Amino acid sequence: MHSQQSISQWTALAVMILACVNWVNAHTIIVYPGYRGNNLHTNGSVEEAGGLGSAYVNDTTIYPYGMQWMYPCGGMPTSTNRTKWPIQGGAISIQPGWFQGHATAFFYFNLGLGAIPPNMSNPMLPPFQIIGPSANPYPGTFCLPQVPLPAGLTVNVGDLATIQVIETAKHGAALYNCVDIEFALPEDCVKVTQDNCFNSSDIAFADIYEVNVTTSAAPPSLMAPGFTPISFVTLITMLFAGLLI
């Protein structure tokens, strides 16, 4: 089981993959608790696929835009081995990578229920933005130490689910990655430490704003009346306090 593997193995695998696929323009790796598998893969051409994100050509599935662009889990099937994850929520650590030419991205964390979820329609967190050091692909890491279950959801030890992580660029295109989990008691899960859950100094977080369109059709600025900031710092504080669980 993945839960029996050390996180140092996950980290070493992630670093190795990043070192070996420098031709990839974008990538996301779920370092903790793990991910379905290596989908840092691009093959075929847009012409061969007829403009589709994936196509079956000459007995081979091609991904001209890369596997990670494919909903819901970056072109990867459900895992046969599952990672144990706490029944009250737990840590998620990400190597976000970067879209070539984009130094910012939005992140979404969703949960799909069951052995093979019919959808990933259960948000675990409000979306937030990360800001990188440049427009080049970047293998830094960020970690959320306590990601809660979706509001109102109760699970039991042994229940199966899938965590979906989505990274979107400023033009709206998205990368998808998943980890298939089995809910377990915290003591039966891989321990979270400073080695597998840390935030790189080069990655910053930013607020996302929402506008009340009933009060202002065209607000002059992001600080205009009707905008409510969602502070990532406040979010993390609430997570530690257990207010979102």
Side-chain angles (χ1 to χ4, degrees):
M1 297 290 291
H2 288 176
S3 59
Q4 296 172 334
Q5 299 176 352
S6 69
I7 294 301
S8 61
Q9 291 175 308
W10 279 113
T11 303
L13 174 62
V15 171
M16 178 184 68
I17 291 172
L18 290 174
C20 294
V21 294
N22 56 10
W23 63 86
V24 177
N25 287 337
H27 51 255
T28 305
I29 292 176
I30 308 174
V31 178
Y32 183 97
Y35 68 160
R36 281 190 174 185
N38 179 11
N39 59 353
L40 301 176
H41 182 63
T42 302
N43 65 339
S45 68
V46 175
E47 290 77 13
E48 289 177 300
L52 296 175
S54 67
Y56 197 64
V57 178
N58 296 326
D59 298 325
T60 301
T61 301
I62 62 172
Y63 300 89
Y65 297 98
M67 291 181 69
Q68 287 198 8
W69 301 100
M70 300 301 298
Y71 178 89
C73 293
M76 297 295 294
T78 304
S79 304
T80 54
N81 291 331
R82 288 181 176 266
T83 300
K84 291 186 177 181
W85 203 67
I87 58 173
Q88 295 298 324
I92 300 179
S93 180
I94 305 294
Q95 287 189 339
W98 293 106
F99 297 85
Q100 188 80 34
H102 302 288
T104 64
F106 291 141
F107 268 85
Y108 302 79
F109 291 76
N110 302 313
L111 190 69
L113 303 176
I116 301 179
N119 56 62
M120 305 291 179
S121 301
N122 303 284
M124 304 173 78
L125 291 173
F128 58 88
Q129 184 182 41
I130 62 170
I131 302 172
S134 73
N136 296 317
Y138 181 72
T141 298
F142 71 84
C143 182
L144 310 181
Q146 181 59 41
V147 177
L149 299 180
L153 178 66
T154 301
V155 298
N156 300 308
V157 171
D159 286 353
L160 304 181
T162 297
I163 297 172
Q164 180 196 53
V165 177
I166 306 173
E167 178 185 3
T168 63
K170 65 181 181 181
H171 54 71
L175 293 172
Y176 299 93
N177 237 320
C178 293
V179 53
D180 298 306
I181 62 170
E182 176 185 345
F183 288 105
L185 296 175
E187 56 267 28
D188 294 329
C189 302
V190 173
K191 185 177 180 180
V192 177
T193 69
Q194 292 182 348
D195 293 327
N196 59 44
C197 183
F198 64 91
N199 291 289
S200 299
S201 60
D202 287 340
I203 295 179
F205 297 95
D207 296 338
I208 294 178
Y209 294 83
E210 61 182 23
V211 59
N212 185 344
V213 296
T214 62
T215 60
S216 175
S221 72
L222 289 181
M223 296 307 293
F227 279 85
T228 303
I230 303 172
S231 170
F232 187 77
V233 174
T234 301
L235 171 64
I236 291 297
T237 302
M238 293 174 68
L239 290 178
F240 275 117
L243 297 180
L244 294 184
I245 298 177

mmCIF file of all heavy atoms in Angstrom, residues 28-77:
data_model
loop_
_atom_site.group_PDB
_atom_site.id
_atom_site.type_symbol
_atom_site.label_atom_id
_atom_site.label_comp_id
_atom_site.label_asym_id
_atom_site.label_seq_id
_atom_site.Cartn_x
_atom_site.Cartn_y
_atom_site.Cartn_z
ATOM 1 N N THR A 28 1.892 19.076 -12.525
ATOM 2 C CA THR A 28 1.478 19.136 -11.131
ATOM 3 C C THR A 28 1.694 17.751 -10.533
ATOM 4 O O THR A 28 1.308 16.754 -11.138
ATOM 5 C CB THR A 28 -0.024 19.501 -10.991
ATOM 6 O OG1 THR A 28 -0.280 20.715 -11.685
ATOM 7 C CG2 THR A 28 -0.407 19.672 -9.535
ATOM 8 N N ILE A 29 2.316 17.707 -9.372
ATOM 9 C CA ILE A 29 2.526 16.436 -8.675
ATOM 10 C C ILE A 29 1.978 16.558 -7.259
ATOM 11 O O ILE A 29 2.283 17.515 -6.550
ATOM 12 C CB ILE A 29 4.022 16.065 -8.632
ATOM 13 C CG1 ILE A 29 4.536 15.737 -10.035
ATOM 14 C CG2 ILE A 29 4.265 14.882 -7.698
ATOM 15 C CD1 ILE A 29 6.019 15.462 -10.099
ATOM 16 N N ILE A 30 1.152 15.602 -6.857
ATOM 17 C CA ILE A 30 0.692 15.538 -5.474
ATOM 18 C C ILE A 30 1.734 14.735 -4.692
ATOM 19 O O ILE A 30 1.762 13.511 -4.769
ATOM 20 C CB ILE A 30 -0.696 14.887 -5.361
ATOM 21 C CG1 ILE A 30 -1.697 15.566 -6.301
ATOM 22 C CG2 ILE A 30 -1.198 14.961 -3.917
ATOM 23 C CD1 ILE A 30 -3.054 14.879 -6.347
ATOM 24 N N VAL A 31 2.591 15.422 -3.979
ATOM 25 C CA VAL A 31 3.675 14.755 -3.255
ATOM 26 C C VAL A 31 3.137 13.998 -2.042
ATOM 27 O O VAL A 31 3.535 12.868 -1.772
ATOM 28 C CB VAL A 31 4.740 15.787 -2.828
ATOM 29 C CG1 VAL A 31 5.853 15.121 -2.022
ATOM 30 C CG2 VAL A 31 5.331 16.471 -4.049
ATOM 31 N N TYR A 32 2.233 14.617 -1.307
ATOM 32 C CA TYR A 32 1.595 13.958 -0.165
ATOM 33 C C TYR A 32 0.093 14.170 -0.280
ATOM 34 O O TYR A 32 -0.339 15.301 -0.502
ATOM 35 C CB TYR A 32 2.098 14.534 1.165
ATOM 36 C CG TYR A 32 1.512 13.823 2.372
ATOM 37 C CD1 TYR A 32 2.223 12.817 3.016
ATOM 38 C CD2 TYR A 32 0.249 14.156 2.855
ATOM 39 C CE1 TYR A 32 1.678 12.154 4.121
ATOM 40 C CE2 TYR A 32 -0.297 13.489 3.929
ATOM 41 C CZ TYR A 32 0.413 12.499 4.555
ATOM 42 O OH TYR A 32 -0.123 11.836 5.637
ATOM 43 N N PRO A 33 -0.730 13.148 -0.217
ATOM 44 C CA PRO A 33 -0.391 11.760 0.128
ATOM 45 C C PRO A 33 0.054 10.892 -1.041
ATOM 46 O O PRO A 33 0.212 9.692 -0.891
ATOM 47 C CB PRO A 33 -1.722 11.243 0.686
ATOM 48 C CG PRO A 33 -2.770 12.020 -0.052
ATOM 49 C CD PRO A 33 -2.193 13.385 -0.250
ATOM 50 N N GLY A 34 0.300 11.455 -2.208
ATOM 51 C CA GLY A 34 0.710 10.684 -3.385
ATOM 52 C C GLY A 34 -0.227 10.974 -4.544
ATOM 53 O O GLY A 34 -1.153 11.771 -4.431
ATOM 54 N N TYR A 35 -0.008 10.351 -5.706
ATOM 55 C CA TYR A 35 -0.920 10.556 -6.824
ATOM 56 C C TYR A 35 -1.059 9.275 -7.627
ATOM 57 O O TYR A 35 -0.385 8.284 -7.362
ATOM 58 C CB TYR A 35 -0.500 11.745 -7.684
ATOM 59 C CG TYR A 35 0.780 11.649 -8.489
ATOM 60 C CD1 TYR A 35 0.975 12.497 -9.575
ATOM 61 C CD2 TYR A 35 1.794 10.753 -8.188
ATOM 62 C CE1 TYR A 35 2.137 12.454 -10.332
ATOM 63 C CE2 TYR A 35 2.952 10.696 -8.948
ATOM 64 C CZ TYR A 35 3.110 11.549 -10.019
ATOM 65 O OH TYR A 35 4.248 11.502 -10.777
ATOM 66 N N ARG A 36 -1.989 9.285 -8.563
ATOM 67 C CA ARG A 36 -2.317 8.059 -9.296
ATOM 68 C C ARG A 36 -1.123 7.501 -10.053
ATOM 69 O O ARG A 36 -0.998 6.297 -10.217
ATOM 70 C CB ARG A 36 -3.469 8.322 -10.271
ATOM 71 C CG ARG A 36 -4.833 8.350 -9.606
ATOM 72 C CD ARG A 36 -5.960 8.367 -10.647
ATOM 73 N NE ARG A 36 -7.256 8.259 -9.999
ATOM 74 C CZ ARG A 36 -8.410 8.156 -10.657
ATOM 75 N NH1 ARG A 36 -8.407 8.155 -11.987
ATOM 76 N NH2 ARG A 36 -9.546 8.052 -10.004
ATOM 77 N N GLY A 37 -0.264 8.364 -10.546
ATOM 78 C CA GLY A 37 0.886 7.876 -11.295
ATOM 79 C C GLY A 37 1.444 8.946 -12.205
ATOM 80 O O GLY A 37 0.918 10.059 -12.295
ATOM 81 N N ASN A 38 2.515 8.616 -12.879
ATOM 82 C CA ASN A 38 3.208 9.566 -13.737
ATOM 83 C C ASN A 38 2.382 9.866 -14.988
ATOM 84 O O ASN A 38 2.293 9.046 -15.899
ATOM 85 C CB ASN A 38 4.576 8.997 -14.135
ATOM 86 C CG ASN A 38 5.339 9.933 -15.066
ATOM 87 O OD1 ASN A 38 4.948 11.072 -15.255
ATOM 88 N ND2 ASN A 38 6.416 9.438 -15.632
ATOM 89 N N ASN A 39 1.774 11.031 -15.023
ATOM 90 C CA ASN A 39 1.045 11.455 -16.215
ATOM 91 C C ASN A 39 1.681 12.693 -16.831
ATOM 92 O O ASN A 39 1.019 13.480 -17.507
ATOM 93 C CB ASN A 39 -0.434 11.696 -15.902
ATOM 94 C CG ASN A 39 -0.642 12.758 -14.829
ATOM 95 O OD1 ASN A 39 0.318 13.239 -14.214
ATOM 96 N ND2 ASN A 39 -1.894 13.113 -14.586
ATOM 97 N N LEU A 40 2.977 12.866 -16.612
ATOM 98 C CA LEU A 40 3.727 13.952 -17.232
ATOM 99 C C LEU A 40 4.130 13.512 -18.643
ATOM 100 O O LEU A 40 5.301 13.298 -18.945
ATOM 101 C CB LEU A 40 4.964 14.294 -16.400
ATOM 102 C CG LEU A 40 4.683 14.715 -14.957
ATOM 103 C CD1 LEU A 40 5.982 14.940 -14.212
ATOM 104 C CD2 LEU A 40 3.823 15.973 -14.924
ATOM 105 N N HIS A 41 3.132 13.361 -19.497
ATOM 106 C CA HIS A 41 3.368 12.700 -20.777
ATOM 107 C C HIS A 41 2.602 13.414 -21.884
ATOM 108 O O HIS A 41 1.422 13.706 -21.751
ATOM 109 C CB HIS A 41 2.911 11.240 -20.697
ATOM 110 C CG HIS A 41 3.161 10.445 -21.945
ATOM 111 N ND1 HIS A 41 4.418 10.186 -22.449
ATOM 112 C CD2 HIS A 41 2.300 9.846 -22.812
ATOM 113 C CE1 HIS A 41 4.327 9.464 -23.554
ATOM 114 N NE2 HIS A 41 3.051 9.251 -23.795
ATOM 115 N N THR A 42 3.298 13.719 -22.971
ATOM 116 C CA THR A 42 2.691 14.301 -24.167
ATOM 117 C C THR A 42 3.129 13.498 -25.386
ATOM 118 O O THR A 42 4.310 13.180 -25.523
ATOM 119 C CB THR A 42 3.137 15.773 -24.352
ATOM 120 O OG1 THR A 42 2.765 16.525 -23.197
ATOM 121 C CG2 THR A 42 2.481 16.380 -25.579
ATOM 122 N N ASN A 43 2.177 13.131 -26.242
ATOM 123 C CA ASN A 43 2.545 12.418 -27.459
ATOM 124 C C ASN A 43 1.546 12.727 -28.563
ATOM 125 O O ASN A 43 0.450 13.220 -28.309
ATOM 126 C CB ASN A 43 2.622 10.903 -27.219
ATOM 127 C CG ASN A 43 1.270 10.302 -26.876
ATOM 128 O OD1 ASN A 43 0.359 10.992 -26.438
ATOM 129 N ND2 ASN A 43 1.139 9.001 -27.045
ATOM 130 N N GLY A 44 1.934 12.455 -29.783
ATOM 131 C CA GLY A 44 1.057 12.714 -30.912
ATOM 132 C C GLY A 44 0.962 14.200 -31.232
ATOM 133 O O GLY A 44 1.591 15.041 -30.598
ATOM 134 N N SER A 45 0.165 14.513 -32.236
ATOM 135 C CA SER A 45 -0.005 15.894 -32.682
ATOM 136 C C SER A 45 -1.469 16.284 -32.646
ATOM 137 O O SER A 45 -2.370 15.430 -32.632
ATOM 138 C CB SER A 45 0.538 16.062 -34.101
ATOM 139 O OG SER A 45 -0.265 15.357 -35.034
ATOM 140 N N VAL A 46 -1.713 17.573 -32.631
ATOM 141 C CA VAL A 46 -3.079 18.086 -32.652
ATOM 142 C C VAL A 46 -3.781 17.639 -33.934
ATOM 143 O O VAL A 46 -4.967 17.291 -33.926
ATOM 144 C CB VAL A 46 -3.068 19.617 -32.534
ATOM 145 C CG1 VAL A 46 -4.480 20.179 -32.673
ATOM 146 C CG2 VAL A 46 -2.455 20.050 -31.207
ATOM 147 N N GLU A 47 -3.039 17.635 -35.032
ATOM 148 C CA GLU A 47 -3.626 17.216 -36.304
ATOM 149 C C GLU A 47 -4.068 15.756 -36.254
ATOM 150 O O GLU A 47 -5.154 15.398 -36.726
ATOM 151 C CB GLU A 47 -2.622 17.412 -37.445
ATOM 152 C CG GLU A 47 -2.339 18.874 -37.788
ATOM 153 C CD GLU A 47 -1.397 19.541 -36.789
ATOM 154 O OE1 GLU A 47 -0.769 18.820 -35.969
ATOM 155 O OE2 GLU A 47 -1.296 20.782 -36.813
ATOM 156 N N GLU A 48 -3.215 14.879 -35.674
ATOM 157 C CA GLU A 48 -3.569 13.459 -35.566
ATOM 158 C C GLU A 48 -4.814 13.257 -34.720
ATOM 159 O O GLU A 48 -5.630 12.363 -34.981
ATOM 160 C CB GLU A 48 -2.403 12.683 -34.961
ATOM 161 C CG GLU A 48 -1.193 12.508 -35.852
ATOM 162 C CD GLU A 48 -0.077 11.787 -35.129
ATOM 163 O OE1 GLU A 48 0.396 12.306 -34.094
ATOM 164 O OE2 GLU A 48 0.324 10.710 -35.590
ATOM 165 N N ALA A 49 -4.975 14.084 -33.686
ATOM 166 C CA ALA A 49 -6.117 13.943 -32.780
ATOM 167 C C ALA A 49 -7.342 14.689 -33.273
ATOM 168 O O ALA A 49 -8.396 14.617 -32.634
ATOM 169 C CB ALA A 49 -5.728 14.443 -31.391
ATOM 170 N N GLY A 50 -7.224 15.384 -34.393
ATOM 171 C CA GLY A 50 -8.366 16.124 -34.904
ATOM 172 C C GLY A 50 -8.814 17.244 -33.988
ATOM 173 O O GLY A 50 -10.000 17.596 -33.960
ATOM 174 N N GLY A 51 -7.874 17.779 -33.221
ATOM 175 C CA GLY A 51 -8.202 18.866 -32.307
ATOM 176 C C GLY A 51 -8.697 18.416 -30.946
ATOM 177 O O GLY A 51 -8.998 19.251 -30.085
ATOM 178 N N LEU A 52 -8.797 17.110 -30.714
ATOM 179 C CA LEU A 52 -9.249 16.589 -29.429
ATOM 180 C C LEU A 52 -8.099 16.566 -28.419
ATOM 181 O O LEU A 52 -6.921 16.536 -28.785
ATOM 182 C CB LEU A 52 -9.800 15.176 -29.593
ATOM 183 C CG LEU A 52 -11.053 15.038 -30.456
ATOM 184 C CD1 LEU A 52 -11.395 13.555 -30.630
ATOM 185 C CD2 LEU A 52 -12.224 15.786 -29.836
ATOM 186 N N GLY A 53 -8.461 16.554 -27.138
ATOM 187 C CA GLY A 53 -7.448 16.461 -26.100
ATOM 188 C C GLY A 53 -6.791 15.100 -26.049
ATOM 189 O O GLY A 53 -5.640 14.966 -25.632
ATOM 190 N N SER A 54 -7.521 14.066 -26.468
ATOM 191 C CA SER A 54 -6.954 12.724 -26.582
ATOM 192 C C SER A 54 -7.667 12.002 -27.717
ATOM 193 O O SER A 54 -8.806 12.326 -28.064
ATOM 194 C CB SER A 54 -7.107 11.930 -25.280
ATOM 195 O OG SER A 54 -8.470 11.648 -25.020
ATOM 196 N N ALA A 55 -6.978 11.040 -28.311
ATOM 197 C CA ALA A 55 -7.555 10.270 -29.414
ATOM 198 C C ALA A 55 -6.856 8.925 -29.487
ATOM 199 O O ALA A 55 -5.740 8.755 -29.001
ATOM 200 C CB ALA A 55 -7.423 11.016 -30.736
ATOM 201 N N TYR A 56 -7.535 7.953 -30.082
ATOM 202 C CA TYR A 56 -6.984 6.603 -30.245
ATOM 203 C C TYR A 56 -6.497 6.467 -31.671
ATOM 204 O O TYR A 56 -7.292 6.428 -32.620
ATOM 205 C CB TYR A 56 -8.054 5.569 -29.919
ATOM 206 C CG TYR A 56 -7.510 4.180 -29.666
ATOM 207 C CD1 TYR A 56 -6.663 3.919 -28.586
ATOM 208 C CD2 TYR A 56 -7.853 3.130 -30.508
ATOM 209 C CE1 TYR A 56 -6.178 2.646 -28.350
ATOM 210 C CE2 TYR A 56 -7.376 1.848 -30.285
ATOM 211 C CZ TYR A 56 -6.539 1.611 -29.198
ATOM 212 O OH TYR A 56 -6.054 0.344 -28.973
ATOM 213 N N VAL A 57 -5.180 6.419 -31.849
ATOM 214 C CA VAL A 57 -4.574 6.388 -33.175
ATOM 215 C C VAL A 57 -3.561 5.247 -33.231
ATOM 216 O O VAL A 57 -2.667 5.159 -32.387
ATOM 217 C CB VAL A 57 -3.868 7.729 -33.488
ATOM 218 C CG1 VAL A 57 -3.194 7.677 -34.852
ATOM 219 C CG2 VAL A 57 -4.864 8.885 -33.432
ATOM 220 N N ASN A 58 -3.709 4.379 -34.206
ATOM 221 C CA ASN A 58 -2.772 3.253 -34.394
ATOM 222 C C ASN A 58 -2.606 2.440 -33.102
ATOM 223 O O ASN A 58 -1.486 2.143 -32.672
ATOM 224 C CB ASN A 58 -1.414 3.762 -34.881
ATOM 225 C CG ASN A 58 -1.496 4.411 -36.250
ATOM 226 O OD1 ASN A 58 -2.294 3.995 -37.097
ATOM 227 N ND2 ASN A 58 -0.682 5.437 -36.469
ATOM 228 N N ASP A 59 -3.729 2.088 -32.518
ATOM 229 C CA ASP A 59 -3.774 1.255 -31.306
ATOM 230 C C ASP A 59 -3.100 1.924 -30.103
ATOM 231 O O ASP A 59 -2.707 1.245 -29.143
ATOM 232 C CB ASP A 59 -3.094 -0.106 -31.553
ATOM 233 C CG ASP A 59 -3.787 -0.904 -32.638
ATOM 234 O OD1 ASP A 59 -5.027 -0.811 -32.733
ATOM 235 O OD2 ASP A 59 -3.095 -1.613 -33.386
ATOM 236 N N THR A 60 -2.976 3.241 -30.123
ATOM 237 C CA THR A 60 -2.359 3.971 -29.018
ATOM 238 C C THR A 60 -3.173 5.225 -28.713
ATOM 239 O O THR A 60 -3.628 5.921 -29.624
ATOM 240 C CB THR A 60 -0.914 4.386 -29.368
ATOM 241 O OG1 THR A 60 -0.148 3.219 -29.658
ATOM 242 C CG2 THR A 60 -0.261 5.135 -28.212
ATOM 243 N N THR A 61 -3.358 5.493 -27.423
ATOM 244 C CA THR A 61 -4.001 6.744 -27.030
ATOM 245 C C THR A 61 -2.969 7.859 -27.053
ATOM 246 O O THR A 61 -1.903 7.738 -26.448
ATOM 247 C CB THR A 61 -4.612 6.642 -25.626
ATOM 248 O OG1 THR A 61 -5.566 5.579 -25.604
ATOM 249 C CG2 THR A 61 -5.312 7.941 -25.240
ATOM 250 N N ILE A 62 -3.271 8.924 -27.787
ATOM 251 C CA ILE A 62 -2.351 10.049 -27.855
ATOM 252 C C ILE A 62 -2.926 11.239 -27.081
ATOM 253 O O ILE A 62 -4.147 11.419 -26.994
ATOM 254 C CB ILE A 62 -2.035 10.458 -29.303
ATOM 255 C CG1 ILE A 62 -3.303 10.916 -30.031
ATOM 256 C CG2 ILE A 62 -1.364 9.312 -30.047
ATOM 257 C CD1 ILE A 62 -3.026 11.508 -31.411
ATOM 258 N N TYR A 63 -2.045 12.038 -26.515
ATOM 259 C CA TYR A 63 -2.395 13.227 -25.749
ATOM 260 C C TYR A 63 -1.567 14.391 -26.283
ATOM 261 O O TYR A 63 -0.524 14.748 -25.715
ATOM 262 C CB TYR A 63 -2.112 13.027 -24.262
ATOM 263 C CG TYR A 63 -2.877 11.890 -23.630
ATOM 264 C CD1 TYR A 63 -2.359 10.594 -23.625
ATOM 265 C CD2 TYR A 63 -4.113 12.107 -23.027
ATOM 266 C CE1 TYR A 63 -3.057 9.548 -23.039
ATOM 267 C CE2 TYR A 63 -4.818 11.064 -22.446
ATOM 268 C CZ TYR A 63 -4.282 9.789 -22.455
ATOM 269 O OH TYR A 63 -4.968 8.746 -21.869
ATOM 270 N N PRO A 64 -1.999 15.020 -27.361
ATOM 271 C CA PRO A 64 -1.171 16.065 -27.969
ATOM 272 C C PRO A 64 -0.963 17.285 -27.087
ATOM 273 O O PRO A 64 0.033 17.993 -27.240
ATOM 274 C CB PRO A 64 -1.938 16.428 -29.243
ATOM 275 C CG PRO A 64 -3.337 15.974 -29.002
ATOM 276 C CD PRO A 64 -3.217 14.773 -28.129
ATOM 277 N N TYR A 65 -1.884 17.522 -26.149
ATOM 278 C CA TYR A 65 -1.722 18.652 -25.238
ATOM 279 C C TYR A 65 -1.103 18.218 -23.908
ATOM 280 O O TYR A 65 -0.845 19.044 -23.035
ATOM 281 C CB TYR A 65 -3.082 19.316 -24.958
ATOM 282 C CG TYR A 65 -3.725 19.911 -26.190
ATOM 283 C CD1 TYR A 65 -4.700 19.206 -26.888
ATOM 284 C CD2 TYR A 65 -3.361 21.163 -26.652
ATOM 285 C CE1 TYR A 65 -5.299 19.745 -28.018
ATOM 286 C CE2 TYR A 65 -3.958 21.719 -27.780
ATOM 287 C CZ TYR A 65 -4.926 21.000 -28.453
ATOM 288 O OH TYR A 65 -5.511 21.538 -29.581
ATOM 289 N N GLY A 66 -0.873 16.919 -23.736
ATOM 290 C CA GLY A 66 -0.384 16.387 -22.471
ATOM 291 C C GLY A 66 -1.504 15.726 -21.694
ATOM 292 O O GLY A 66 -2.675 16.135 -21.765
ATOM 293 N N MET A 67 -1.172 14.684 -20.957
ATOM 294 C CA MET A 67 -2.197 13.930 -20.226
ATOM 295 C C MET A 67 -2.889 14.765 -19.155
ATOM 296 O O MET A 67 -4.085 14.615 -18.913
ATOM 297 C CB MET A 67 -1.568 12.690 -19.585
ATOM 298 C CG MET A 67 -1.126 11.629 -20.577
ATOM 299 S SD MET A 67 -0.410 10.172 -19.780
ATOM 300 C CE MET A 67 -1.858 9.470 -18.972
ATOM 301 N N GLN A 68 -2.138 15.653 -18.500
ATOM 302 C CA GLN A 68 -2.706 16.346 -17.354
ATOM 303 C C GLN A 68 -3.820 17.321 -17.698
ATOM 304 O O GLN A 68 -4.519 17.812 -16.815
ATOM 305 C CB GLN A 68 -1.605 17.057 -16.559
ATOM 306 C CG GLN A 68 -0.738 16.106 -15.766
ATOM 307 C CD GLN A 68 0.044 16.790 -14.659
ATOM 308 O OE1 GLN A 68 -0.139 17.970 -14.360
ATOM 309 N NE2 GLN A 68 0.924 16.041 -14.023
ATOM 310 N N TRP A 69 -4.000 17.597 -18.984
ATOM 311 C CA TRP A 69 -5.102 18.465 -19.372
ATOM 312 C C TRP A 69 -6.448 17.743 -19.354
ATOM 313 O O TRP A 69 -7.499 18.368 -19.508
ATOM 314 C CB TRP A 69 -4.870 19.017 -20.785
ATOM 315 C CG TRP A 69 -3.613 19.814 -20.938
ATOM 316 C CD1 TRP A 69 -2.429 19.381 -21.461
ATOM 317 C CD2 TRP A 69 -3.393 21.167 -20.546
ATOM 318 N NE1 TRP A 69 -1.496 20.377 -21.427
ATOM 319 C CE2 TRP A 69 -2.060 21.493 -20.865
ATOM 320 C CE3 TRP A 69 -4.207 22.144 -19.948
ATOM 321 C CZ2 TRP A 69 -1.520 22.756 -20.614
ATOM 322 C CZ3 TRP A 69 -3.658 23.393 -19.702
ATOM 323 C CH2 TRP A 69 -2.341 23.688 -20.033
ATOM 324 N N MET A 70 -6.442 16.428 -19.166
ATOM 325 C CA MET A 70 -7.669 15.644 -19.303
ATOM 326 C C MET A 70 -8.423 15.516 -17.985
ATOM 327 O O MET A 70 -7.875 15.067 -16.975
ATOM 328 C CB MET A 70 -7.339 14.236 -19.832
ATOM 329 C CG MET A 70 -6.660 14.229 -21.201
ATOM 330 S SD MET A 70 -7.663 15.029 -22.476
ATOM 331 C CE MET A 70 -9.106 13.960 -22.478
ATOM 332 N N TYR A 71 -9.715 15.913 -17.992
ATOM 333 C CA TYR A 71 -10.601 15.708 -16.847
ATOM 334 C C TYR A 71 -10.969 14.218 -16.770
ATOM 335 O O TYR A 71 -11.116 13.577 -17.812
ATOM 336 C CB TYR A 71 -11.877 16.541 -17.026
ATOM 337 C CG TYR A 71 -12.886 16.378 -15.915
ATOM 338 C CD1 TYR A 71 -12.844 17.191 -14.800
ATOM 339 C CD2 TYR A 71 -13.867 15.391 -15.988
ATOM 340 C CE1 TYR A 71 -13.766 17.035 -13.771
ATOM 341 C CE2 TYR A 71 -14.789 15.225 -14.962
ATOM 342 C CZ TYR A 71 -14.730 16.055 -13.858
ATOM 343 O OH TYR A 71 -15.638 15.889 -12.842
ATOM 344 N N PRO A 72 -11.107 13.619 -15.564
ATOM 345 C CA PRO A 72 -11.021 14.273 -14.261
ATOM 346 C C PRO A 72 -9.670 14.117 -13.559
ATOM 347 O O PRO A 72 -9.407 14.814 -12.602
ATOM 348 C CB PRO A 72 -12.113 13.554 -13.464
ATOM 349 C CG PRO A 72 -12.052 12.145 -13.988
ATOM 350 C CD PRO A 72 -11.739 12.276 -15.461
ATOM 351 N N CYS A 73 -8.831 13.192 -14.043
ATOM 352 C CA CYS A 73 -7.620 12.852 -13.292
ATOM 353 C C CYS A 73 -6.388 12.773 -14.182
ATOM 354 O O CYS A 73 -5.535 11.895 -14.010
ATOM 355 C CB CYS A 73 -7.807 11.544 -12.528
ATOM 356 S SG CYS A 73 -9.030 11.665 -11.191
ATOM 357 N N GLY A 74 -6.314 13.664 -15.176
ATOM 358 C CA GLY A 74 -5.123 13.721 -15.995
ATOM 359 C C GLY A 74 -4.859 12.475 -16.807
ATOM 360 O O GLY A 74 -3.710 12.083 -17.000
ATOM 361 N N GLY A 75 -5.922 11.837 -17.294
ATOM 362 C CA GLY A 75 -5.768 10.675 -18.167
ATOM 363 C C GLY A 75 -5.407 9.381 -17.465
ATOM 364 O O GLY A 75 -5.187 8.365 -18.129
ATOM 365 N N MET A 76 -5.349 9.385 -16.120
ATOM 366 C CA MET A 76 -4.959 8.183 -15.375
ATOM 367 C C MET A 76 -6.192 7.442 -14.856
ATOM 368 O O MET A 76 -7.134 8.060 -14.345
ATOM 369 C CB MET A 76 -4.063 8.553 -14.196
ATOM 370 C CG MET A 76 -2.745 9.198 -14.586
ATOM 371 S SD MET A 76 -1.658 8.084 -15.502
ATOM 372 C CE MET A 76 -1.280 6.868 -14.248
ATOM 373 N N PRO A 77 -6.210 6.107 -14.942
ATOM 374 C CA PRO A 77 -7.330 5.320 -14.398
ATOM 375 C C PRO A 77 -7.225 5.209 -12.881
ATOM 376 O O PRO A 77 -6.201 5.554 -12.274
ATOM 377 C CB PRO A 77 -7.148 3.961 -15.064
ATOM 378 C CG PRO A 77 -5.660 3.858 -15.270
ATOM 379 C CD PRO A 77 -5.202 5.247 -15.603
#
